[in-house]
Amino acid sequence: ENGEAVKFIRNEAQRKFWAEVWYLNAILKARQLGFSSLIGILQLDACLFNSNTAAGIIDLTLTDAKKKLAKIKFAYNRLPARLKDALPFVRENTEAVEFANGSRIEVGTSHRGGTLMQLHVSEYGKISAESPERAKEIKTGAFGTVHAGQVIHVESTADGQGGEYYELIQRAEAQQKEKRPLSQLDFKLHFFAWWHHRTYRLNPTHIPVTPELREYFAELAGKYGVSLDHEQQAWYAAKRRQIGPDDIFKEYPSVPDEAFHASIEGAYFKAQMSRARLDGRIGHMPHDPERKVDTWWDVGNDTTSIWFHQTDGLRHRFIDYYENSGESIGHYIKVIEERGTGSSILNYD
């Protein structure tokens, strides 16, 4: 971190991961927790101490993937001379290394063909958002080269609600919540918040923490059991001010639910939307069977949309939404009837 070569010592988040590691690991994380370095060390160990082991690294760009291989070579070059003499490189370039025992590590932006025992996929969230077809190719191609009982590490920050990474995390989280046993071909979810990093602290003396953030920290403690000290709160307040109230959720989530919040950067009523999110007013809104349901329509030439709305006279709740195209009015009436809204007031916009 300070530009000096230091011995690798696992930090708190890395130790927690190692204590809970599985065959297939989906790592949802905040930025700069050191997982790329840890996984690089694990791949190097696997190749040095096991013959004929094939490992692969996939990243957002080939340049990024090469940097991860450079980290591995950095560690290898600082091993004891007797170990390097026993297991020298027989092939070495910016995209691959191969050892005398037949083990190798290769990098790229995808992988299909051959068999891997170790696979590291980095920034899968960003790949899924920017290159959906490549993300699908990684799922169907690269994941398929790793047989049951071998190892995949997928580590990334979140990037929007959708795509292969989002679906991967959702499946792993559902299995975790349902406490279903994992097979060797199931991904295990690991979440690491920004507060797992011991250096994410600042002196609070000159950093103001707004009443809004104090409420947020109180909610973290009360709802999730996440108690932050004053130095951690100061760091978060400063970082939030630096990168904005939307991106802080994606880049530095405190709990898993925050990671995939859709950004509202540049949206109308941005401050109000952020406030509603902190207040818990954005999320699942249940249907109140004692109150009338209004439907609000946008009838268009391309897409027709229907919002389902309830009010108690003070609060407005949008409890459901439907859209379709190319259908007659009878189709939409049937949708309303199936939802059991009864005699709705149709408000056309």
Side-chain angles (χ1 to χ4, degrees):
E1 294 180 354
N2 298 317
E4 300 175 0
V6 297
K7 183 178 179 181
F8 177 78
I9 299 174
R10 292 174 297 178
N11 61 33
E12 180 183 352
Q14 293 165 342
R15 290 196 303 272
K16 185 177 187 298
F17 171 71
W18 186 242
E20 301 171 356
V21 72
W22 185 243
Y23 298 98
L24 310 187
N25 300 282
I27 306 168
L28 175 62
K29 63 181 184 63
R31 290 178 56 81
Q32 297 297 312
L33 292 178
F35 279 97
S36 292
S37 297
L38 172 66
I39 295 168
I41 294 291
L42 294 177
Q43 287 192 330
L44 178 60
D45 281 356
C47 288
L48 287 178
F49 301 109
N50 298 277
S51 299
N52 303 311
T53 295
I57 300 170
I58 294 173
D59 212 327
L60 180 65
T61 68
L62 184 58
T63 298
D64 292 330
K66 289 178 179 179
K67 288 179 180 178
K68 287 181 173 55
L69 184 61
K71 283 186 178 182
I72 292 174
K73 290 194 283 187
F74 179 90
Y76 172 84
N77 288 332
R78 283 156 179 78
L79 290 172
R82 57 186 176 80
L83 185 55
K84 290 190 291 183
D85 290 343
L87 292 165
F89 289 139
V90 295
R91 176 168 66 107
E92 187 230 335
N93 56 52
T94 59
E95 296 182 24
V97 294
E98 186 172 348
F99 302 95
N101 64 355
S103 294
R104 68 184 189 278
I105 304 172
E106 298 174 342
V107 307
T109 56
S110 188
H111 185 89
R112 181 179 285 273
T115 300
L116 296 176
M117 293 88 201
Q118 297 263 336
L119 174 62
H120 175 197
V121 181
S122 184
E123 293 300 339
Y124 197 36
K126 204 163 190 64
I127 295 171
S128 298
E130 296 184 1
S131 306
E133 289 302 316
R134 183 152 67 90
K136 186 175 181 180
E137 168 67 17
I138 290 170
K139 181 181 75 171
T140 59
F143 288 176
T145 65
V146 181
H147 294 194
Q150 305 304 320
V151 177
I152 298 178
H153 299 302
V154 178
E155 50 90 13
S156 182
T157 53
D159 201 324
Q161 295 182 349
E164 297 294 346
Y165 181 64
Y166 175 77
E167 295 297 329
L168 174 65
I169 295 297
Q170 294 303 299
R171 288 193 300 270
E173 184 178 32
Q175 187 155 359
Q176 186 180 79
K177 287 180 176 178
E178 295 167 12
K179 298 181 179 180
R180 288 186 279 122
L182 294 168
S183 76
Q184 292 181 352
L185 291 178
D186 288 321
F187 275 90
K188 181 177 181 179
L189 175 63
H190 305 266
F191 172 71
F192 296 95
W194 64 269
W195 44 265
H196 280 111
H197 200 301
R198 60 181 176 81
T199 66
Y200 284 173
R201 298 172 174 275
L202 286 175
N203 186 329
T205 305
H206 302 296
I207 299 176
V209 177
T210 63
E212 178 186 17
L213 273 181
R214 292 191 190 282
E215 290 182 25
Y216 169 70
F217 295 139
E219 181 186 1
L220 285 179
K223 187 175 180 181
Y224 299 100
V226 177
S227 297
L228 305 175
D229 60 38
H230 293 305
E231 290 185 346
Q232 289 174 309
Q233 292 181 16
W235 182 92
Y236 187 88
K239 181 60 69 172
R240 183 178 186 269
R241 188 168 62 247
Q242 181 187 65
I243 69 174
D246 295 326
D247 287 335
I248 192 72
F249 288 121
K250 178 181 71 173
E251 303 290 350
Y252 299 97
S254 298
V255 293
D257 291 345
E258 291 181 354
F260 291 100
H261 272 306
S263 175
I264 55 172
E265 186 72 37
Y268 293 112
F269 306 115
K270 175 183 173 182
Q272 291 86 343
M273 292 291 287
S274 293
R275 177 74 234 182
R277 177 178 291 157
L278 288 175
D279 288 346
R281 291 183 281 122
I282 297 177
H284 174 65
M285 291 291 113
H287 168 240
D288 183 349
E290 301 300 320
R291 299 187 183 277
K292 178 182 65 178
V293 177
D294 299 326
T295 56
W296 305 60
W297 295 52
D298 181 354
V299 181
N301 293 327
D302 48 358
T303 299
T304 292
S305 306
I306 308 174
W307 289 262
F308 295 77
H309 163 270
Q310 287 187 304
T311 181
D312 59 6
L314 294 174
R315 293 168 298 185
H316 295 271
R317 294 176 174 174
F318 290 91
I319 62 172
D320 202 356
Y321 172 80
Y322 179 80
E323 72 173 39
N324 210 326
S325 61
E327 299 288 351
S328 67
I329 191 69
H331 169 82
Y332 298 100
I333 293 174
K334 184 178 180 182
V335 168
I336 292 175
E337 291 174 344
E338 289 176 349
R339 278 165 166 72
T341 57
S343 56
S344 302
I345 297 174
L346 306 185
N347 298 294
Y348 290 91
D349 181 9

